[in-house]
Amino acid sequence: MLQTRDECSGNTVLLNIEDLWKSYGETVGVAGLFMKVNSGSIHGLIGPNGAGKTTTVKCVVGLLKPDRGRIMVMGMDVKSGEGFKRLIGYLPEAPSLPDYLTPREFLGYVARIRGVEPGEETRRRVQEFLSMFELNDCENRFILELSKGLKQRLALATVFIHQPKLIIMDEPFIGLDPEGQRLVKSLVRDIVSKGGAALVCTHMLDMAERFCTNATIIHKGRSIAEGSIDGLKKIAGLESSGTLEEAFFRIVGGTEGGTL
């Protein structure tokens, strides 16, 4: 598997988006987006509602076909087939779960299609993640019967069960209780510490500043600034004591972005 190195950081580029375009009829969703996510980073994709975050992510995971551009996941072109999907863990903004499976059945299914060794290893991981996300008490109930919070926990368990190297999550913390947020952050940081990476789409700037190491600011379908959190503050003309929120509004309000 061919992977590239980022010449500036020396890290492996796990996700590389080049000149991505996607329209819905006459409405432009993404307009020439460039972005890199390196190993060892928690990379925020931040912007207001309608900026193109979800469209970008859906193109990355193969749910939408780009009009133009190239997307490479760990050296694999997403146009080349389905194989790259085993390498990522994906949480959509509004997960759709199968009503008439149980959490145990659904986790087992996800583990199998994501390449976990069948048999004892799949059973072990299913049990581990049922316990980790506190789903034991409902493991044999239909998903239809679960509360919204339990469904969110189940959806998050599917992101991590196959131990992916790249995590992609769209607004993962909305509706998740503090204990669940803490668990997800811990799991993401563990993957990142082992050379993986995460892409987190959010408009929650306070959370992004505390959780992310790097970020791309997207506005009207374009990446207008990218860098470390402190780097974005410098682009905006702020000291490190400034906030990401202040930097965001300065950059979005200007006519040009930058990279640092």
Side-chain angles (χ1 to χ4, degrees):
M1 184 184 302
L2 178 64
Q3 295 185 2
T4 59
R5 306 286 290 184
D6 186 287
E7 295 181 359
C8 296
S9 68
N11 293 329
T12 303
V13 181
L14 298 188
L15 172 62
N16 190 18
I17 299 175
E18 297 178 347
D19 196 27
L20 178 65
W21 290 78
K22 178 62 184 178
S23 296
Y24 305 92
E26 296 183 357
T27 302
V28 177
V30 180
L33 180 76
F34 286 81
M35 182 174 66
K36 288 183 180 179
V37 176
N38 293 333
S39 61
S41 69
I42 302 174
H43 195 108
L45 182 59
I46 60 178
N49 291 332
K53 302 187 299 297
T54 296
T55 296
T56 298
V57 165
K58 286 184 175 182
C59 288
V60 170
V61 301
L63 294 177
L64 289 176
K65 183 178 179 181
D67 298 328
R68 195 166 84 223
R70 186 170 76 152
I71 303 171
M72 304 292 289
V73 173
M74 284 172 270
M76 299 177 64
D77 192 324
V78 301
K79 295 178 182 177
S80 64
E82 299 288 316
F84 75 96
K85 293 186 178 181
R86 291 190 175 189
L87 307 176
I88 62 177
Y90 170 54
L91 178 75
E93 183 177 13
S96 178
L97 306 178
D99 286 343
Y100 293 102
L101 290 181
T102 68
R104 177 174 289 279
E105 290 169 339
F106 185 48
L107 286 179
Y109 168 75
V110 172
R112 287 192 295 275
I113 66 172
R114 292 291 181 256
V116 177
E117 184 178 343
E120 183 57 35
E121 179 61 16
T122 291
R123 287 191 291 272
R124 184 190 68 79
R125 290 203 201 175
V126 168
Q127 188 58 55
E128 177 186 0
F129 280 86
L130 285 170
S131 298
M132 187 184 302
F133 283 88
E134 298 183 352
L135 296 166
N136 295 98
D137 290 344
C138 64
E139 64 180 78
N140 294 313
R141 292 168 55 192
F142 289 132
I143 294 172
L144 175 68
E145 301 171 357
L146 303 186
S147 68
K148 183 176 180 180
L150 289 173
K151 288 179 180 178
Q152 179 79 343
R153 284 176 173 266
L154 177 59
L156 283 161
T158 68
V159 174
F160 298 98
I161 193 168
H162 56 300
Q163 299 177 338
K165 194 168 184 179
L166 177 64
I167 300 293
I168 300 174
M169 300 189 294
D170 194 350
E171 300 291 359
F173 300 119
I174 292 178
L176 191 64
D177 61 45
E179 186 178 354
Q181 292 183 32
R182 183 178 182 182
L183 173 60
V184 170
K185 289 176 182 178
S186 176
L187 289 170
V188 169
R189 287 171 175 145
D190 182 61
I191 287 171
V192 169
S193 72
K194 296 174 181 175
L199 175 64
V200 181
C201 300
T202 186
H203 60 262
M204 301 168 64
L205 298 178
D206 289 346
M207 184 280 296
E209 182 166 11
R210 294 191 303 270
F211 184 48
C212 298
T213 58
N214 303 75
T216 297
I217 295 177
I218 182 173
H219 184 55
K220 296 182 179 179
R222 294 182 178 273
S223 47
I224 60 173
E226 183 172 287
S228 67
I229 300 301
D230 283 342
L232 291 172
K233 294 176 185 179
K234 290 180 181 179
I235 289 172
L238 297 171
E239 300 294 332
S240 59
S241 58
T243 67
L244 180 59
E245 182 179 31
E246 291 173 314
F248 174 82
F249 284 109
R250 283 195 183 188
I251 291 169
V252 170
T255 58
E256 296 182 359
T259 302
L260 191 66

